[in-house]
């Protein structure tokens, strides 16, 4: 029987690359989205035509009720979630002192609380089955911090802390919990930078270039593979040598 993977924020960018890779790896993939309906429908149509088992599921990961409904829907459709990839996230660029309460809540609710909500719903099925894979997507800035991205950095550092702690709690149940921390990846999030700014950014990266979404997806694929069955609580940087 095929295993089911849920990828949150899977409609575009890194999330879409992860969805494609897990389809290629033989999973049935549930693609979570909230606002990107056109993108998720296009992605799922493309992959379905290619012969893969994939379907969209709408939910706001920052809402515990939405997440409960999402997991119930997936359970009814496939039996449960064997692999959870917490990719949904938003960024914030600006001076720390200009950050409003609303900005703080939006970033932390999606990036950190969303990860918490999904992990909490996934665990009962995984524990009952005696196995499972959770991969959380953090960021290089969650490891070292970034000027003008303090709130984003804090939320992604929280994801790393959650990964390390939960991995110890879930280990005896046969569940691994790991984290991928991408560096600068060439996605839509980089559109706010000019070509000159992107050039300057690349000069700070030892490998001299931005990463590709598929390279992050390859790291996720490794963590959910049979070859990673004795690996848990780890933070894998996909950052071109930045850290």
């Amino acid at each position: 029987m095929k295993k089911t993977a849920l990828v949150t924020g899977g409609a575009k960018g890194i999330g879409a690359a992860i969805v494609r890779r897990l389809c290629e790896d033989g999973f049935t993939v549930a693609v979570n989205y909230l606002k990107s309906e056109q993108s998720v429908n296009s992605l799922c149509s493309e992959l379905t035509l290619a012969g893969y088992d994939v379907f969209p599921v709408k939910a706001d990961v920052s809402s515990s009720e939405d997440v409960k409904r999402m997991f119930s829907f997936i359970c009814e459709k496939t039996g449960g979630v064997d692999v959870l990839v917490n990719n949904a996230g938003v960024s914030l660029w600006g001076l720390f002192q200009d950050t409003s309460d609303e900005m703080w809540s939006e970033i932390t609710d999606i990036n950190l609380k969303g990860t918490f909500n999904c992990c909490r719903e996934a665990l009962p099925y995984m524990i009952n089955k005696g196995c499972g894979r959770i991969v959380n997507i953090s960021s290089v800035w969650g490891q070292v911090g970034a000027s003008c991205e303090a709130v984003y950095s804090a939320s992604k550092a929280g994801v790393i802390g959650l990964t390390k702690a939960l991995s110890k709690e879930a280990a005896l149940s046969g569940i691994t919990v790991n984290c991928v921390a991408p560096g600068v990846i060439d996605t839509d999030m980089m559109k706010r930078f000019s070509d000159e700014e992107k050039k300057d950014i690349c000069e700070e990266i030892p490998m001299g270039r931005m990463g590709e979404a598929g390279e992050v997806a390859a790291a996720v694929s490794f963590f959910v593979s049979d070859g990673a069955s004795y690996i848990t609580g780890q933070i894998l940087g996909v950052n071109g040598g930045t850290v």
Side-chain angles (χ1 to χ4, degrees):
M1 185 176 177
K2 291 180 70 173
K3 292 183 178 181
T4 298
L6 166 62
V7 180
T8 67
K12 298 186 294 184
I14 291 173
I18 295 170
V19 169
R20 287 192 174 93
R21 181 59 183 261
L22 294 183
C23 281
E24 293 169 1
D25 289 346
F27 291 95
T28 294
V29 183
V31 188
N32 161 258
Y33 74 102
L34 181 58
K35 299 177 181 178
S36 304
E37 185 170 5
Q38 184 175 348
S39 295
V40 78
N41 287 337
S42 176
L43 175 66
C44 289
S45 294
E46 169 201 329
L47 291 169
T48 299
L49 285 172
Y52 297 115
D53 294 326
V54 58
F55 60 92
V57 54
K58 184 176 182 179
D60 178 358
V61 297
S62 70
S63 164
S64 59
E65 291 304 314
D66 258 26
V67 170
K68 288 179 190 295
R69 284 192 291 269
M70 174 171 64
F71 273 82
S72 293
F73 173 77
I74 297 171
C75 188
E76 289 174 8
K77 191 173 181 69
T78 70
V81 174
D82 302 283
V83 169
L84 169 63
V85 182
N86 285 302
N87 170 74
V90 290
S91 62
L92 177 66
W93 176 267
L95 294 174
F96 181 73
Q97 63 265 32
D98 294 334
T99 305
S100 66
D101 290 354
E102 291 75 20
M103 291 174 180
W104 170 270
S105 294
E106 179 184 5
I107 298 300
T108 57
D109 280 359
I110 295 173
N111 295 358
L112 183 53
K113 184 183 176 186
T115 300
F116 159 74
N117 283 337
C118 291
C119 286
R120 184 171 58 176
E121 290 304 312
L123 281 171
Y125 171 80
M126 293 181 178
I127 291 170
N128 183 62
K129 195 172 181 181
C131 63
R133 299 281 188 272
I134 296 174
V135 182
N136 299 322
I137 307 299
S138 179
S139 167
V140 63
W141 307 133
Q143 295 176 291
V144 300
S147 176
C148 294
E149 292 190 83
V151 179
Y152 177 77
S153 299
S155 69
K156 290 300 189 178
V159 169
I160 290 174
L162 176 61
T163 298
K164 291 181 176 181
L166 186 57
S167 69
K168 295 178 179 180
E169 190 170 324
L172 284 176
S173 298
I175 301 164
T176 65
V177 186
N178 291 292
C179 183
V180 176
V184 180
I185 308 298
D186 191 10
T187 65
D188 286 347
M189 281 190 175
M190 295 303 296
K191 284 184 176 179
R192 68 170 178 256
F193 298 104
S194 67
D195 289 342
E196 189 63 31
E197 287 172 329
K198 289 179 182 178
K199 181 180 177 182
D200 291 341
I201 290 170
C202 288
E203 288 178 354
E204 297 296 319
I205 301 171
M207 290 189 73
R209 67 171 177 86
M210 290 186 283
E212 298 176 1
E215 292 172 312
V216 180
V220 173
S221 176
F222 165 69
F223 274 139
V224 305
S225 70
D226 291 340
S229 58
Y230 195 57
I231 299 172
T232 194
Q234 302 305 304
I235 315 303
L236 179 56
V238 183
N239 57 48
T242 302
V243 175

